Amino acid sequence: MKIMIMFDPGKVGEAITSNVILEKKVPFNILTAKIDKKGGEMLIEAPDDKAFELIEAFKEKGVRVETRKFVEILPHKCINCGQCFSICPVDAIKYDEDYSITLKQEDCIGCLQCVDSCPLEAIVKAS
Ligand code: SF4
Ligand code: SF4
């Protein structure tokens, strides 16, 4: 599961991430991180069966946590042209057996390249 951890300015100096790893002994991947003294965000990928435990641990340390859906396909607009399929860096967009485009949310890292690539605005940033 992809989880976004959001750090307020007052939290960036604390060793929150390393303490969560040490306490919970759950390894996770850090997919993206953009943090400076004004605060920031870190996207992690956690094992599904440990995600709730990690979310609670981060929340207890005073940071905001969200599970994320980054983009969605609008089926009524999509013509299955494959432009987004070609550009996705992590193969989160697939062709089904019937040649319709589908999105594997669990693989998406939120780069939004597919949104920019679509000629019909049929794949959009999730609200
Ligand atoms: S680029 Fe747009 S129209 Fe083409 S398959 Fe992707 S979502 Fe559908
Ligand atoms: S946002 Fe990026 S990772 Fe997610 S489906 Fe689009 S191109 Fe792939």
Side-chain angles (χ1 to χ4, degrees), residues 70-71 84 87-90 92-93 103 107-115 123:
F70 295 100
V71 294
C84 56
I87 207 164
C88 179
V90 293
I93 297 171
L103 172 62
D107 291 340
C108 174
I109 58 169
C111 70
L112 302 182
Q113 291 185 55
C114 54
V115 173
I123 188 162

Side-chain angles (χ1 to χ4, degrees), residues 4-103:
M4 185 65 83
I5 317 290
M6 289 159 288
F7 299 87
D8 291 331
K11 291 289 175 186
V12 292
E14 297 180 26
I16 290 174
T17 303
S18 48
N19 281 334
V20 168
I21 293 170
L22 285 172
E23 282 171 22
K24 296 297 169 187
K25 299 186 172 37
V26 176
F28 55 80
N29 292 333
I30 297 175
L31 300 174
T32 61
K34 195 174 168 190
I35 302 167
D36 60 23
K37 62 184 178 187
K38 295 180 196 156
E41 295 181 338
M42 176 175 73
L43 179 64
I44 68 169
E45 183 171 38
D48 285 349
D49 61 338
K50 299 288 183 185
F52 179 74
E53 204 178 327
L54 286 176
I55 289 169
E56 290 305 304
F58 274 107
K59 282 184 179 172
E60 280 169 17
K61 298 190 183 321
V63 295
R64 289 173 291 128
V65 180
E66 277 182 9
T67 54
R68 278 280 168 101
K69 176 169 131 183
F70 295 100
V71 294
E72 55 193 335
I73 295 172
L74 306 177
H76 63 288
K77 285 188 168 184
C78 176
I79 58 169
N80 303 307
C81 71
Q83 189 82 3
C84 56
F85 167 84
S86 304
I87 207 164
C88 179
V90 293
D91 295 332
I93 297 171
K94 307 280 186 196
Y95 267 110
D96 271 348
E97 286 175 5
D98 65 356
Y99 298 105
S100 62
I101 285 285
T102 56
L103 172 62

